[in-house]
Amino acid sequence: MCQALAPADTHRPDAETDAFEARLVNALNEGGLMLLMSIGYRTGLYERLAGQPPLTDVEIAERAGLDARYVREWLGGMVAGGVIELDPATRRYRLPSAHAALLTDADGPNLAVYAQFFALLGAVEDDVVRCFREGGGVPYSRYPRFHEVMAADSAQTVLPALFDAILPLAPELPARLEQGIDVLDCACGRGRALLAMAERYPASRFTGYDLSTEAIAWAQARVAESGLANVRFATRDLSDFDASAEPAAFDLVTTFDGIHDQARPLALVRGIRRSLRPGGVYLAQDIHASSHHHLDREHPLGTLLYAVSVSHCMTVSLAQGGEGLGTMWGRERAQALFAEAGFTTVSVHQLEHDIQNDYFVCRAE
C-alpha cells in the first residue's frame, strides 16, 4: 500500500520500531558475515593473510591455491564487514593483526571456528521446519560435519585447559592419573581429550564410547598412528547405560558437552554412577545456562545456543525418541539430574577461558 493512501500514523514507526529495525538490519549483515567467515576459515584464507603485507586479490588467491574470482568476491564481503582493510589506490588487502588474533590458530581461541555452525545447521532447516509441523527429530546422519566442528570447538575449550584447570577441579585426579586408574569418556566424539590424557598419563587406561561410527573411526585411526596402547574406542549406544554399564569398572568418568543431546540422559548418568568405583569421580562439562528462559537474556551466547539447540541438540535427541533436553537445559536441571542419578555431592565451576560451559564435579559420597 502506498503511504500516501494510508493513515499517516500507521506508517510512522515509533522509536522502538526504528531501533528494532536497525537491530534486524544489523543482524542480517552479521549473519552474512558468519557465512563468509566460515568459508574463510575452511579455505585457510585467514591463515594466508595473517602477518602478511598488503596483497592483491590475485596474490591472495595464488597463495591460498584458490579461484581468484571467488576470493575477490569474498574479500568484498570482508571489507564491507570491517574485517579486512582495502587500500583503494593500490587495490591491496590487509588483515589487521588485531583481527588475525581472533581468526587464526596462532594466538588463542579462533572464533572463526564457530562461524561454521551457521552453514552447517542451516543445511537442515527444511528438516527442522518439518519437525515443527509434524514432531519427531532430525537424525545424526543429517550432520556429516558436526563432529568435525565440535572437535575444533573442544580443541579450544577443553584441550588447552584440560591438565591445568579442568582435571584439578577434583584435586586428587592428577596424582591418581599419574599412578594409574581406569578412565571412561562417554559421548567422546573424536576422543581428542582421551588421546591427550592417554599420552600424558601412560600408567592409566582410557576408554571412549560414542554413537557416531564416523567419530570413532577417526579416533581409532589416531590411536593407530600414535601407537598408544592404553586407549581404546568403541561405537556404543548409551541409551541403556543404566542397565548395560559394567559395575565399578572405572575410577573417573567424563562427559564433555555430552549429556543434553542424549536420548535418555538420566539413563546415561545412572550408568555412569553404576560404573564408578568407590571414591570415583564423574567430571562433566555442559552448557552454561539457566533452566529459565528469562534468566538467559543476559547470556553472552544465549541466542546462538538456542539456535544450536533447535537445529541440532534437541532435535537429534527427539529423533531417537528421546527427551530432547536441548542445549540450554540449564544448571538447575543438570544438578537435579545428577542428584536423581545418585550423586550426593555436586560442585559447579566456571573457568575464565570458557564462557560457554559449566564444569560439574560429581561424587557419590
Side-chain angles (χ1 to χ4, degrees):
M1 179 184 293
C2 176
Q3 286 193 15
L5 300 179
D9 59 352
T10 64
H11 284 272
R12 186 178 298 129
D14 58 22
E16 184 178 357
T17 303
D18 280 342
F20 189 58
E21 180 182 33
R23 178 185 169 193
L24 291 180
V25 170
N26 182 65
L28 289 169
N29 274 313
E30 298 297 272
L33 182 64
M34 290 300 100
L35 292 175
L36 292 171
M37 193 167 285
S38 177
I39 292 170
Y41 172 81
R42 295 183 66 187
T43 56
L45 278 162
Y46 294 124
E47 301 290 343
R48 294 291 186 274
L49 284 162
Q52 297 299 315
L55 300 168
T56 68
D57 54 346
V58 173
E59 290 171 335
I60 294 168
E62 289 176 349
R63 288 176 178 235
L66 300 171
D67 182 89
R69 180 66 189 94
Y70 279 91
V71 170
R72 186 180 312 122
E73 202 73 4
W74 177 84
L75 286 165
M78 289 294 102
V79 172
V83 176
I84 289 175
E85 295 176 349
L86 169 64
D87 181 345
T90 63
R91 296 184 179 179
R92 291 179 178 272
Y93 301 83
R94 184 180 76 90
L95 178 64
S97 59
H99 297 184
L102 297 173
L103 298 174
T104 66
D105 297 331
D107 186 20
N110 183 345
L111 296 186
V113 166
Y114 303 99
Q116 297 176 93
F117 281 113
F118 291 85
L120 181 66
L121 300 180
V124 298
E125 182 180 296
D126 287 348
D127 302 87
V128 173
V129 169
R130 173 186 54 76
C131 292
F132 267 78
R133 292 177 173 141
E134 302 174 5
V138 183
Y140 274 111
S141 59
R142 290 287 288 121
Y143 304 86
R145 292 189 58 246
F146 196 81
H147 278 289
E148 177 186 338
V149 176
M150 287 303 299
D153 179 358
S154 178
Q156 301 191 140
T157 56
V158 175
L159 296 185
L162 182 61
F163 301 115
D164 295 333
I166 297 175
L167 292 174
L169 291 173
E172 75 277 17
L173 280 182
R176 294 192 68 195
L177 285 160
E178 291 279 4
Q179 294 164 3
I181 58 175
D182 293 293
V183 180
L184 171 65
D185 188 13
C186 293
C188 66
R190 291 188 169 190
R192 295 183 67 174
L194 272 191
L195 290 165
M197 285 191 282
E199 184 175 4
R200 177 73 169 258
Y201 301 114
S204 289
R205 298 155 296 280
F206 301 88
T207 300
Y209 296 143
D210 198 274
L211 182 63
S212 169
T213 55
E214 176 192 4
I216 292 299
W218 190 95
Q220 290 171 333
R222 301 294 87 73
V223 172
E225 291 172 2
S226 67
L228 290 169
N230 62 333
V231 58
R232 69 182 185 91
F233 293 94
T235 302
R236 184 162 176 175
D237 183 345
L238 297 171
S239 59
D240 66 346
F241 203 53
D242 53 342
S244 64
E246 182 182 353
F250 298 98
D251 305 286
L252 168 64
V253 180
T254 59
T255 56
F256 295 106
D257 209 13
I259 296 297
H260 62 261
D261 55 358
Q262 294 294 314
R264 298 179 61 213
L266 179 59
L268 171 55
V269 180
R270 279 179 169 160
I272 289 171
R273 171 68 187 90
R274 170 187 167 105
S275 72
L276 280 172
R277 293 172 180 145
V281 177
Y282 169 38
L283 180 58
Q285 174 212 48
D286 218 290
I287 297 298
H288 169 67
S290 167
S291 300
H292 308 285
H293 288 174
H294 67 285
L295 296 179
D296 287 326
R297 292 191 65 179
E298 304 303 319
H299 194 299
L301 293 172
T303 304
L304 171 62
L305 291 170
Y306 273 107
V308 172
S309 186
V310 168
S311 299
H312 182 268
C313 299
M314 181 189 73
T315 193
V316 296
S317 174
L318 293 173
Q320 302 171 70
E323 295 181 27
L325 280 179
T327 313
M328 299 291 280
W329 63 314
R331 180 182 289 188
E332 298 91 337
R333 292 184 72 182
Q335 290 176 300
L337 183 141
F338 296 145
E340 187 176 355
F343 290 100
T344 54
T345 303
V346 179
S347 59
V348 190
H349 308 264
Q350 281 191 281
L351 300 180
E352 186 176 355
H353 79 289
D354 187 358
I355 63 172
Q356 180 176 292
N357 294 292
D358 284 333
Y359 293 81
F360 301 86
V361 179
C362 306
R363 302 176 188 269
E365 300 172 346

